[in-house]
Amino acid sequence: MGQTITEKILAHAAGKEAVSAGDNIWVNVDTLMTHDVCGPGTIGIFKREFGDDAKVWDKEKVVIIPDHYIFTKDKHANRNLEVLREFAQEQNIKYFYDAFSKSYKGVCHVALAEGGHNRPGEIMFGTDSHTCTAGAFGQFATGIGNTDAAFIMGTGKLWVKVPESMRFEVEGDIPDYVLGKDIILQIIGDIGVDGATYRAMEFTGSGIYNLSIEERMTICNMAIEAGGKNGIIAPDSKTEEFVKSRSSKPYTLFLSDNDARYVKTITYKGKDLEPVVAKPHSPDNMEKVSTIKGENIDRVYIGSCTGGKIEDFKNAARILNNNEVKVDTFIVPSTVMVEAFLKEETLNGKSYMDIFSDAGCKIAPPSCAACLGGPADTFGRTKTNEKVVSTTNRNFPGRMGSKASSVYLASPYTAAASALTGKITDPRDYL
Amino acid sequence: MEIITGKAYVLGDDIDTDQIIPAEHLVYSLSDPEEKKNYGKFALSSVPLAQAGLPDGNIPFVKEGCHESEYSIIIAGKNFGCGSSREHAPFALNIAGVKAVLAEGYARIFYRNSIDGGFFIPFELTKRVIDSIKTGDEIDINISLNSFTNKRNGESYSLKTLGDVKDILDAGGIFNYARKTGLI
Ligand code: SF4
């Protein structure tokens, strides 16, 4: 019996020939990522369990990325940044992208990719559920809590139950008004928010491989919204090109065998896909934009690890260029590098930043911002019963701040088109 | 024979980590004995009122001004703890005094965090019970028999066996387990 890419990576990291779904194994970890929300708690447990003088197992494999609560006056949030700073210094952590320093990056999952921390065949754990984003690089990546992270910090190892795999095939070209976000919202809508619980979600087919790396990241990012343990796309030449230009470390390419076992395979025809949204208050509450269009909204939010990357903004700009928004529209680049791109690169001679500000958008510096609500003074945080169209990944009650607000998850195209009309709008009207 | 006794707090499906502990509260220290009480105080504070304490709702899990709940057993539907990897979520329930959660199913990071952190026992139900148990009912969980009883009406229900994770739960979390088995 063949193995899936997920099984092969896990077997490799456990020093075994083969593993199968259900096996409990201990794996060696290549990268541990933590941030300002879960880092301090992780450090606390690490010291409690391994002692005040303990050293992390490998100072080049622990990556610390403050990104969640950066631009806030909240004193507890600021103290958390201080805790990370002290720890990084004491441990001589090589990759610490400190807030308010030249090395500051922004949202961790995008920062990891930019910083060359994603490599095929590797094992990455992060104290953030969207760590699964890195599966776009053909690696095993998943979110964990503080206790598990502290355990890895001290030992470089963790126990894992090998997940069963589900296979999602997108065959043939997808229409140019459909984005990666529409594909993953469609999948989550079809299988439900617990449709992939404990399972690996493997995405494949020519429709997937035609997508750019960033679009693949958008898809893997939301594997967790279906309960998935990891999302994964086996590497191809695009993956290698992206990785090689950012990392000089050797890596191993794993691909799924033809006779690998999947608990389920779901096939989509690329040409049948269309723009969709997830209605409040669940990421699987999927509806076609063509059905729901016309509903009034109060604001639009474009940002986060899901919808705040370079291509997300390029796509939004295609629609917002030389237009004016009708509702409050918040733009938050995920990282400093994305922000620099928006300032320096142009569309028809105009910088992306100018396109957004001329359209009347409000723009903030890179961080997670209102994607998860955050402290009361967070940019873009909902305050009352706003209806928001957002390119983020979660629309649970209270996720963007106020419990009374409601969030529609959408692609950058749909978000931008909706900003122009103040209603949920089909991007086909503007493309 | 080990028994857990307590009052039930009943919730619906898909209770996510933002409802269990809203993101604005993730800033408090998890180790400072006073500050960490905030996690108990705000536990389950973002559950929409109509769904807070079924069947009637509108029952705060933790009373105003307290950090401990009078309910130590949570009964829930499908996909409990979905969403974020924040360990603050099982931690908050632990600080509020939760001893066990009985749900139809769990999101895996939450499940893992509950066990590896030794916060409480996440049992899996064998059938849907949120329509037959009321918030405030007295519950007896018999760990060795994998079952529980609602003392209000004497109804008994079975639970799934804990399986492999029982060893980690018995040890009190992943660190104690790793020490016991010579891993660290
Ligand atoms: S942008 Fe949103 S989903 Fe992404 S890491 Fe930040 S808070 Fe989480």
Side-chain angles (χ1 to χ4, degrees), chain A residues 67-68 107-109 128 130 304-306 368 371-372 393 399:
Chain A
D67 59 352
H68 277 59
V107 177
C108 55
H109 311 297
D128 190 284
H130 293 103
S304 85
C305 50
T306 326
C368 294
C371 171
L372 83 163
N393 48 32
R399 171 69 177 183

Side-chain angles (χ1 to χ4, degrees), chain B residues 133-172:
Chain B
I133 296 177
K134 291 184 179 154
T135 295
D137 285 357
E138 288 272 347
I139 302 289
D140 268 352
I141 305 171
N142 187 321
I143 300 179
S144 39
L145 293 180
N146 290 306
S147 67
F148 71 100
T149 308
N150 183 352
K151 290 210 261 189
R152 176 170 59 85
N153 52 18
E155 274 178 25
S156 278
Y157 307 86
S158 60
L159 294 162
K160 289 193 189 159
T161 56
L162 290 163
D164 305 338
V165 301
K166 178 132 199 320
D167 295 340
I168 303 177
L169 280 167
D170 285 345

Side-chain angles (χ1 to χ4, degrees), chain A residues 108-122:
Chain A
C108 55
H109 311 297
V110 184
L112 284 169
E114 288 172 355
H117 298 290
N118 297 136
R119 276 174 293 269
E122 290 196 348

Side-chain angles (χ1 to χ4, degrees), chain A residues 24 69 79 146-148 159, chain B residues 23 35 87 112 116 164 179:
Chain A
N24 275 317
Y69 303 153
R79 180 190 57 190
N146 299 351
T147 299
D148 284 345
W159 72 270
Chain B
E35 207 176 313
E87 196 163 300
R112 204 184 152 99
D116 282 358
D164 305 338
R179 287 202 179 92

Side-chain angles (χ1 to χ4, degrees), chain A residues 177 274-275 289-290 293 413-414 417-418 424-430:
Chain A
Y177 48 81
E274 53 177 298
V289 174
S290 57
K293 67 181 180 185
Y413 278 160
T414 304
S418 305
I424 295 178
T425 299
D426 196 317
R428 279 169 280 198
D429 297 351
Y430 287 91

Side-chain angles (χ1 to χ4, degrees), chain A residues 22 24 26 35-38 40-42 44-46 48-50 69 74 76-77 79-80 126-130 142-148 150-152 155 157-161 193-194 197-199 224-225 227-230 281-282 284 372-376 381 394 396-399 401 403, chain B residues 13-19 22-32 35 38-39 44-49 51 78-88 91 105-113 115-119 124 163-165 168 172-179 181 183-184:
Chain A
N24 275 317
W26 286 85
H35 52 47
D36 55 314
V37 170
C38 296
T42 300
I45 298 171
F46 171 71
R48 182 187 80 203
E49 297 292 336
F50 294 102
Y69 303 153
D74 187 289
H76 291 115
R79 180 190 57 190
N80 283 345
T127 58
D128 190 284
S129 59
H130 293 103
T142 191
I144 51 171
N146 299 351
T147 299
D148 284 345
F151 191 91
I152 296 174
T155 64
K157 292 185 194 322
L158 192 64
W159 72 270
V160 188
K161 192 189 253 323
V193 284
D194 58 356
T197 300
Y198 294 104
R199 292 171 172 172
I224 182 69
E225 268 64 63
K229 184 167 196 154
N230 64 313
H281 295 282
S282 183
D284 63 358
L372 83 163
R381 190 179 197 276
R394 288 195 174 135
F396 303 139
R399 171 69 177 183
K403 252 199 274 186
Chain B
D13 294 323
D14 300 320
I15 298 294
D16 65 79
T17 53
D18 284 282
Q19 294 180 58
E24 66 196 287
H25 301 304
L26 302 179
V27 294
Y28 315 120
S29 166
L30 295 152
S31 45
D32 183 274
E35 207 176 313
N38 281 309
Y39 288 105
L44 291 172
S45 62
S46 224
V47 176
L49 282 177
Q51 274 100 57
K78 291 188 297 182
N79 205 23
F80 190 78
C82 59
S84 148
S85 63
R86 62 185 73 149
E87 196 163 300
H88 311 69
F91 185 83
Y106 296 87
R108 57 156 284 280
I109 307 180
F110 180 91
Y111 182 72
R112 204 184 152 99
N113 286 344
I115 291 163
D116 282 358
F119 296 120
E124 277 186 77
D164 305 338
V165 301
I168 303 177
I174 188 178
F175 282 99
N176 290 341
Y177 173 75
R179 287 202 179 92
T181 50
L183 273 156
I184 57 171

Side-chain angles (χ1 to χ4, degrees), chain A residues 392-426:
Chain A
T392 54
N393 48 32
R394 288 195 174 135
N395 58 352
F396 303 139
R399 171 69 177 183
M400 292 190 87
S402 159
K403 252 199 274 186
S405 62
S406 35
V407 179
Y408 295 77
L409 304 175
S411 80
Y413 278 160
T414 304
S418 305
L420 293 181
T421 60
K423 298 177 186 337
I424 295 178
T425 299
D426 196 317

